[in-house]
Amino acid sequence: MSQLDLLADLLARARAAGADAADAVLVAGTALSVQRRLGRTEHLERSEGRDLGLRVFVGRRSAIVSSSAVDPAGFAALAERAVAMARVVPEDPFAGLAEGARAVDPAPLDLLDPTDEPDAAALIARAGAAEEAALAVAGVTNSEGAEAGFGRTEVSLVTSAGFAASVTRTSHSVSATALAGSGTAMQRDYDYHSTVHLADLEDAAAIGRSAGERAVTRLNPVRPRTAKLPVVYDPRVASSLLGHLAGAINGASVARGTTFLKDRLGSRVFPAGITIIDDPLRRRGLRSRSFDGEGVPTAQRSLIDDGVLTTWLLDSRSARQLGLASTAHAWRGTGGPPAPGPSNLYMRPGPLSPAALMADIREGLYVTELIGMGVNGLTGDYSRGAAGFMIRDGAIAEPVAEITIAGHLAEMFAHLIPADDLRFRRGTDAPTIRVEGMTMAGA
C-alpha cells in the first residue's frame, strides 16, 4: 500500500470516529552517516524509519496524535484517541484546514538525485579525504573529525478536503573540523557543505582544507578594547541576520504581538535597494517545495522589496488571526501543528566586493563566528558572543576572540550594506554584510 493510500485509510477512520475534518502526514526516511577521526572510522550508522501524524478537528477543537508504528490495524484506535482528545480541549476560533490547498507537480524542483544510494565505503572515503586535507594544512595539529552523509526522505500529506500529494528528496553532506596550535592556545574551526544532488557537492578535500586554513588563521587571538565601530559579517554568519528577520515577521509572533516589527508592515525596514527573497521554487534548493505543510501551493516572494517590508510569513491559522490569506509558509512535522517559517531565504547581493565594502574602515570588526542566542525578538535587542578579526585601514588584521557585539536589530537592519559575494549554500544565505555603529565589548 502506498503512503497516500495509508493516509487516506487513516482519514477515513478519523471521519468514522467523529472528526469533522482531518489531515495526516507520513514521513519515511533512510539515512547513512560516517564519522572519521585521525584516520579511523569512529561511527557508522544507517537508519530507516516512518513517522505518522494525524490531526483531527471536532468543530473548532483539534488534537494531534503521532506514532512510529505505521500499521493499518491500529488506525481505528489511533483515530478514536485523537477524536477523544479533541473533544476535551478548548475551542480555537482560528483552527481548521487550509483554504486553497491543491497538489502541484514537484518534478521541476529536481529534488530527487537519480544516482544510487552511496555505500559505506564511498562515505568513508569522502570523510577521509576531508580530514586528510585538513590535517595537511601547515599549523593544524589535531582533528575533531570529518563526517559524510546521505539521506532520502519521502513526505506525504493527505487532507479530508481532498488534497493528496507526496514528495521525495535526497541530501548529501560532508564536513570537517580542525584544530590548530597546542595547549590552551589551540583554536578550532570547521567547514561543511550540503546539497540535494551529489553532483553539486563541493569536493571533500576542499572542505577539509578550508576547515584547516580557517583554524590556523585564528591562532593567537587578542581581546580588543571596547569600541563602537562598523561590523562586517562573513557570509557564514551573515545569514543569521536573515534568520532574525524571519523570526520577527513570523505570523504567529505577529498575531501575538511579540515581535518588534509588529507595526512595520508596508514601511521601510532596510535601506533602499535591499531585497530579501523567499524562494521555495529554486531548483535543487535545500528547502524547496511546491506546496507547504498544509498543501497550499508555494511561490517566490520578496519579503523585503527596496527596503520595504511587504508581507508576513503566514500559515492558515496565523493568517486567520490577522485577517489575511496564507502565504504558503506552513511547516509541519508529525508531532505538532503547522507553524510558519521560511524556505530558501536569501538577500540579493550589492554592487561592491567585500574588499571594497571594507576599504574605508579605519578600525572595524570582521565576524566569522557567533556564540549564544542573546537576541530578544520582542524588543529587538541584540547581543552575541563573537570571534573573528580586526579590520585596520580596510584590511583584515589580527584575530580576536572573547568579545561581544551588541546593537538593536531595527538599527542594524536600517544601516546594513551587502557585498556582491552571495553563494547558495545553506538554505538561508546572505553575502558579506556590513553593519554600521555596533558596540564591540572587549577588554
Side-chain angles (χ1 to χ4, degrees):
M1 185 180 292
S2 72
Q3 290 201 169
L4 293 180
D5 289 337
L6 283 169
L7 294 182
D9 181 34
L10 178 60
L11 292 191
R13 303 300 181 102
R15 295 299 294 270
D20 297 316
D23 62 8
V25 62
L26 180 58
V27 180
T30 300
L32 179 63
S33 64
V34 168
Q35 296 177 3
R36 295 267 290 177
R37 183 174 181 272
L38 299 178
R40 298 180 60 184
T41 300
E42 291 194 334
H43 187 71
L44 172 61
E45 179 179 1
R46 177 183 173 84
S47 62
E48 297 183 11
R50 293 199 295 179
D51 291 297
L52 175 69
L54 170 66
R55 180 173 60 153
V56 300
F57 298 91
V58 178
R60 289 297 183 179
R61 297 179 170 88
S62 67
I64 295 173
V65 294
S66 61
S67 174
S68 58
V70 185
D71 181 3
F75 281 1
L78 190 71
E80 289 168 2
R81 185 159 61 249
V83 171
M85 291 168 58
R87 284 177 173 149
V88 299
V89 301
E91 286 194 353
D92 178 357
F94 307 109
L97 298 176
E99 298 84 8
R102 61 181 177 84
V104 181
D105 182 10
L109 301 184
D110 197 13
L111 300 180
L112 178 62
D113 189 340
T115 60
D116 293 335
E117 174 183 327
D119 57 23
L123 294 186
I124 289 171
R126 195 170 301 152
E131 184 179 49
E132 289 167 10
L135 290 170
V137 174
V140 170
T141 55
N142 207 336
S143 167
E144 286 193 355
E147 299 184 19
F150 166 81
R152 178 188 173 107
T153 305
E154 180 181 1
V155 179
S156 301
L157 174 67
V158 175
T159 78
S160 60
F163 177 90
S166 292
V167 62
T168 305
R169 64 186 307 133
T170 48
S171 64
H172 301 265
S173 63
V174 61
S175 66
T177 303
L179 299 168
S182 60
T184 59
M186 292 183 78
Q187 295 291 325
R188 65 177 290 282
D189 214 318
Y190 69 95
D191 202 357
Y192 73 96
H193 194 210
S194 179
T195 60
V196 172
H197 284 244
L198 179 60
D200 299 327
L201 189 67
E202 191 168 335
D203 179 67
I207 292 291
R209 186 163 50 251
S210 172
E213 291 170 348
R214 285 175 177 269
V216 171
T217 60
R218 294 181 61 169
L219 285 171
N220 304 312
V222 299
R223 192 177 183 195
R225 62 181 175 82
T226 296
K228 191 169 186 177
L229 40 63
V231 172
V232 178
Y233 287 75
D234 182 88
R236 189 166 70 174
V237 292
S239 59
S240 67
L241 298 176
L242 273 64
H244 298 318
L245 170 67
I249 63 173
N250 182 294
S253 297
V254 175
R256 292 192 298 265
T258 56
T259 164
F260 70 100
L261 292 181
K262 63 181 182 295
D263 299 318
R264 300 296 301 278
L265 186 64
S267 62
R268 188 173 300 283
V269 175
F270 288 80
I274 298 296
T275 299
I276 298 176
I277 294 173
D278 185 74
D279 184 10
L281 302 180
R282 182 190 305 152
R283 185 172 177 267
R284 299 189 180 184
L286 291 176
R287 299 177 187 165
S288 295
R289 54 187 186 163
S290 56
F291 53 87
D292 76 349
E294 296 179 293
V296 180
T298 61
Q300 183 187 102
R301 293 177 183 269
S302 294
L303 309 182
I304 302 293
D305 188 3
D306 195 27
V308 175
L309 175 60
T310 66
T311 184
W312 308 123
L313 303 179
L314 301 171
D315 62 354
S316 64
R317 185 178 186 279
S318 60
R320 293 186 188 106
Q321 287 179 284
L322 296 169
L324 300 170
S326 170
T327 58
H329 280 104
W331 288 93
R332 171 86 183 272
T334 58
S343 60
N344 300 306
L345 184 63
Y346 71 97
M347 177 182 289
R348 279 186 179 165
L352 300 176
S353 68
L357 194 70
M358 296 185 288
D360 66 338
I361 298 178
R362 184 175 179 181
E363 181 181 59
L365 175 67
Y366 186 85
V367 177
T368 60
E369 183 178 22
L370 292 169
I371 305 163
M373 291 300 297
V375 180
N376 188 320
L378 175 61
T379 65
D381 291 323
Y382 179 98
S383 178
R384 299 194 66 180
F389 303 85
M390 292 302 296
I391 301 171
R392 301 198 184 279
D393 297 323
I396 300 293
E398 71 274 16
V400 296
E402 298 182 14
I403 57 176
T404 300
I405 54 175
H408 190 280
L409 285 173
E411 291 298 315
M412 293 166 64
F413 290 165
H415 298 90
L416 175 155
I417 307 171
D420 66 354
D421 57 339
L422 174 68
R423 295 177 64 195
F424 295 124
R425 288 177 63 86
R426 297 175 181 84
T428 297
D429 296 282
T432 300
I433 288 177
R434 173 174 171 171
V435 179
E436 301 293 337
M438 295 188 68
T439 299
M440 177 185 67

